[in-house]
Amino acid sequence: MAKTKTKRLSSPQELEALRELIVKGRDPNQSCIVICGGTGCLALGAQEVINAFKQEIEKGSLKNKLALRVTGCPGFCERGPLVVIKPKNILYQQVKSEDISEIVSATVKGNIVDRLLYTDPDTGQKITYEHEVPFYKKQKRLLLGDNSNIDPTIIEDYLALGGYATLSKVLFKMSPDKVIDEVKKAGLRGRGGGGFPTGVKWESCRQAQGDTRYVICNCDEGDPGAFMDRSLMEGNPHSVLEGMLIGAYAIGSHQGYIYVRNEYPLAVRNAGIAIKQAGELGLLGKNILGSGFDFSVKISRGGGAFVCGESTALMASLEGKVGEPRAKYVHTVEKGLWEQPTNLNNVETWANVPLIIKNGADWYAKVGTEGSKGTKIFSLVGKINNTGLVEVPMGITLREIIYDVGGGIPDNKKFKAVQTGGPSGGCIPESSLDLPVDFDQLTDVGSMMGSGGMIVMDENSCMVDIAKYFINFLEGESCGKCVPCREGLKRMSQILTDITEGRGKEGDIELLERLSATLADSSLCALGSTAPNPVLTTIRYFRDEYEAHIKDKRCPAGVCRELVTYLIDEENCPGCGLCVKACPVEAITDMGKKKPVVLDQEKCIKCGACYDVCKLGAIIRK
Amino acid sequence: MPTKSKPAKPKVKAILDSYQGDPSMLVSILQDVQAEYNYLPKETLTQVSQDLDIPLTRVYSVATFFKAFSLKPRGRHIINVCLGTACHVRGAVRIRDEIERELDIKPGETTEDFKFTLETVNCVGACALGPIVIIDSKYSGQMKPDKVKTLLESYD
């Protein structure tokens, strides 16, 4: 790593000179071991792998031959911990600390460790290079691509790739209006969920009356099953900062905030390091690069409230108050934080900005559909083979994402639905899988883009249970300020609980629909007005499942505990005893070898542990 | 303002100083206080209110609004069961139920011996590992109901 003295840069020339110095000090052909140090891989044990690499390199005195870089998330979480050997991009997956000495010695000799390569499940072939793995093939990683080229705690890595050159261009060669025009022309729409045109928002904020303007980066990614903002903030925080700086210049703001979930400790840490390093180089603070433009950024940590993703609630929380939303008859771009004009965008939106200004609006607008430009990052999770983060061009079909990128459904199960848009979104059935993914198409089928969670469900997922899950979630997260949301969600939760516990009545579906309409019309903020979406889409596409619960007192997917009974199929049970060991309440008795086991219905808590372990189909779920 | 409670805590003072007594940083300040004491003792709320010169009612409303704060002492080990959607469809509820049964507490409660506090979290973004249980800061992925007992027994 090129160590550079931290000296404030006071002109674009000094920035370029520093960049040249960094690039000159690095050999592009030197082998570099890249390890994902994102939350997903760390949870899978990446820290031990990192430590083992450090030791091995130290031990063999290989510092001159091998570089080591701990980076943010490259996306393929399913196969973590991930190791990529640059510059060739050899991908090793599910790497353990005991594999390290083999990887190091092979890399030094220019060899490949075959057994750690990814195997294509369709062809059985080993795949050597990252970009040839099917998971990556259909992706277009404009934002995530740099994650594996950057150690987020080293600003020099970002500078080496041309970082902050766009900021320098903006400060010295572009007027604020020109920047706004470019973002408008690119067709960038807010990635936080609403899809509002970013350039238009900036323009309104710039034109609003006020003494001080604020810009905010929303990293309060509260949608369950979504982690793209976290991965950008963890993996490439400077790209977000550069986007905020460009936006602040265009809007005329000198103070920014990053509002980040406290449940994302690594994102908090890396954002803090990035702010400190950028400040030391004079890329934040007073008189940035000698341009006369001042801008600083503070981090504020969220307290675990989903509603704080809503802009007015977030701003209340930033002021040190309870995170309750307010009615938006006056927009936040006019009166937001401290009653001043405030522009809020989410992490992914900010990260798109430097790309647009660097490459031009026309270049950016070539990717995507008529109404939705650029790429979108989705977190593809649930019942899917390749769990992970995927960045795809707008307009790709759901089928391509789920089957080509995601590798389909595990255990040959049947696809049932995909839930997009988080708790405000909806469930999309198989009949709509060929839908091109963009803001408007998803809204047309009753769901929404949201921030980009994509949860895949198979035949074993109960759609009534999913609706109940989201309503219960939102009931818990409702701030309680307005009645339709506070009371409406409570009643909807009661009705859905009754249905899933066998107390459903004729007319419940219609009552849910009526309550939904009331919530959509009369709630104060988007949390309440979009809350019915999961219920409405599951009724629309899976009405038969609701009816099975209500009329036949049956859960077709076998999820709703009160409607399910477990039985032993005596003909198929060889008495192997696996289920006896798995049962947490000793409800199953071993009757000796080759004799079927006996299940005591009185003791059974219907946890399903026996069903999961039995590979012979001898446990029947009814 | 009740001032007869225990004497001021020097650690709270240090935390307040690190934020230059800025009332807008209330949420972060309370987070740091909780990290120090494991919960928010009553006297720390009073002290925060006095030093920041904001009403105790407001400190209390913030401390009770956000899920991250606890006004009751918590156990030595904090168990967080992820109930994000990805974990949910992979059976997280069964894991939570099993922990509840094993420890005889509900989410938000602490065992009598103050060994464990059970909490739930809406998503930690480690969805590839779901269902996931985090104890203190250690992640245990691909949990099954029959693995719960062994996992809990590995803590003292």
Side-chain angles (χ1 to χ4, degrees), chain B residues 88-100:
Chain B
H88 179 84
V89 299
R90 292 187 184 190
V93 172
R94 285 158 52 190
I95 311 296
R96 184 200 60 198
D97 290 352
E98 189 52 27
I99 298 176
E100 284 182 10

Side-chain angles (χ1 to χ4, degrees), chain A residues 170-214:
Chain A
V170 164
L171 292 179
F172 291 92
K173 295 186 179 145
M174 290 174 85
S175 68
D177 289 331
K178 178 86 184 89
V179 176
I180 290 175
D181 274 350
E182 203 66 13
V183 174
K184 272 164 80 177
K185 221 168 83 187
L188 176 64
R189 293 171 68 173
R191 301 299 197 240
F196 192 80
T198 306
V200 177
K201 197 182 207 177
W202 288 13
E203 191 169 48
S204 314
C205 190
R206 179 172 178 77
Q207 288 166 356
Q209 297 286 324
D211 311 323
T212 317
R213 278 159 233 281
Y214 296 103

Side-chain angles (χ1 to χ4, degrees), chain B residues 65-135:
Chain B
F65 179 84
F66 290 105
K67 211 175 153 189
F69 298 125
S70 172
L71 298 182
K72 288 183 291 188
R74 299 189 298 168
R76 291 196 301 284
H77 303 292
I78 313 286
I79 305 172
N80 256 305
V81 182
C82 179
L83 292 183
T85 325
C87 286
H88 179 84
V89 299
R90 292 187 184 190
V93 172
R94 285 158 52 190
I95 311 296
R96 184 200 60 198
D97 290 352
E98 189 52 27
I99 298 176
E100 284 182 10
R101 216 183 51 77
E102 201 59 55
L103 299 177
D104 198 19
I105 50 173
K106 294 274 174 201
E109 295 177 354
T110 302
T111 54
E112 274 177 18
D113 58 0
F114 282 95
K115 186 170 169 186
F116 291 113
T117 295
L118 176 59
E119 291 179 353
T120 61
V121 59
N122 288 333
C123 184
V124 291
C127 306
L129 284 144
I132 191 162
V133 174
I134 305 143
I135 302 187

Side-chain angles (χ1 to χ4, degrees), chain A residues 191-193 221-229 264 306 346 348 376-382 384 387-390 398 401-402 417-428 437 439 442 447-457 470, chain B residues 84-86 123 125 127:
Chain A
R191 301 299 197 240
E221 193 172 42
D223 281 16
F227 52 98
M228 43 278 144
D229 289 345
Y264 286 172
F306 175 71
N346 97 322
E348 193 180 337
K376 177 77 195 88
I377 308 177
F378 290 101
S379 64
L380 192 55
V381 300
I384 186 91
T387 299
L389 277 189
V390 305
L398 283 168
I401 298 179
I402 292 165
V418 55
Q419 207 277 347
T420 70
S424 315
C427 292
I428 301 170
V437 174
F439 285 103
L442 287 175
S447 184
M448 64 189 274
M449 180 80 84
S451 57
M454 203 172 257
I455 296 109
V456 181
M457 295 163 201
F470 281 116
Chain B
T85 325
C123 184
C127 306

